[in-house]
Amino acid sequence: MSDQVLNILKLSLLGLLYIFFARVLWAVWSEVKSPRPRPVARTQQPGGGGTAPQPRPATATRNTKPAKGRGGKAARIVVLEPKHRRGTAVALDNEITLGRDDSCTISIQDDSFVSTLHLRVYDYDGQPMVEDLGSTNGTFHNGTRLHGSKLLQPGDRVQVGTTVFEAQ
């Protein structure tokens, strides 16, 4: 073969290699990035008093939700993602553990990014705290990786694997 053909083959192989690495990086980035917040549908309140969140239809599981927190203190966590778990709520009365183990308060066995004992939510002087328990893939609190413990405020989002919770 001539030198021109060999050079064309080398450049083609190099181009394919760059495309392959770009695709791998894109796949990894799309799995690692935190989910985007969803917009809340709003409706006009009677009397022109502004807007309010549109109510969701009540179901049997939603009627038994723990009450929302008051006075700047979160009283429950609610699952936002994935869709098949959306709306599941757990009261922050006692210590909550999350992981793949059956003994956890919230057991997530279908997510390979969740450790056996991934995180816990506990009460510290009347305020809920969230703590990563040395998980392999980490816990994310409002989009930043959690190291140690952090205070859990209403509206905070916690991501464990592909599961996203919101403190309320």
Side-chain angles (χ1 to χ4, degrees):
M1 279 200 248
S2 69
D3 286 340
Q4 285 181 331
V5 173
L6 288 176
N7 283 336
I8 291 173
L9 287 175
K10 282 194 279 186
L11 291 175
S12 299
L13 180 63
L14 187 62
L16 288 173
L17 190 62
Y18 278 121
I19 291 171
F20 171 75
F21 281 123
R23 174 70 177 122
V24 168
L25 288 174
W26 180 82
V28 169
W29 176 252
S30 66
E31 288 293 324
V32 172
K33 70 178 180 177
S34 61
R36 295 179 183 157
R38 294 182 173 191
V40 177
R42 299 206 172 263
T43 58
Q44 190 71 21
Q45 287 184 342
T51 59
Q54 185 175 0
R56 290 185 174 179
T59 63
T61 57
R62 293 182 195 265
N63 290 337
T64 59
K65 281 187 181 179
K68 285 187 178 181
R70 304 234 188 281
K73 178 184 169 191
R76 68 180 182 177
I77 55 173
V78 180
V79 177
L80 301 177
E81 295 287 335
K83 285 185 177 183
H84 67 277
R85 283 199 188 96
R86 184 177 294 151
T88 305
V90 178
L92 297 177
D93 296 342
N94 302 320
E95 181 176 301
I96 296 172
T97 56
L98 184 138
R100 283 186 292 151
D101 194 13
D102 289 332
S103 65
C104 292
T105 310
I106 302 172
S107 181
I108 302 175
Q109 297 180 351
D110 59 346
D111 190 349
S112 61
F113 293 104
V114 176
S115 297
T116 305
L117 190 58
H118 199 102
L119 74 84
R120 75 179 182 132
V121 180
Y122 62 97
D123 185 60
Y124 180 76
D125 287 339
Q127 290 290 329
M129 299 286 283
V130 62
E131 176 185 21
D132 183 76
L133 298 174
S135 62
T136 305
N137 294 313
T139 301
F140 294 87
H141 179 263
N142 292 330
T144 58
R145 189 164 184 149
L146 180 65
H147 299 285
S149 298
K150 196 157 191 178
L151 185 64
L152 196 58
Q153 299 285 344
D156 285 355
R157 292 194 175 185
V158 178
Q159 181 175 356
V160 175
T162 58
T163 304
V164 180
F165 299 93
E166 182 178 66
Q168 296 181 347

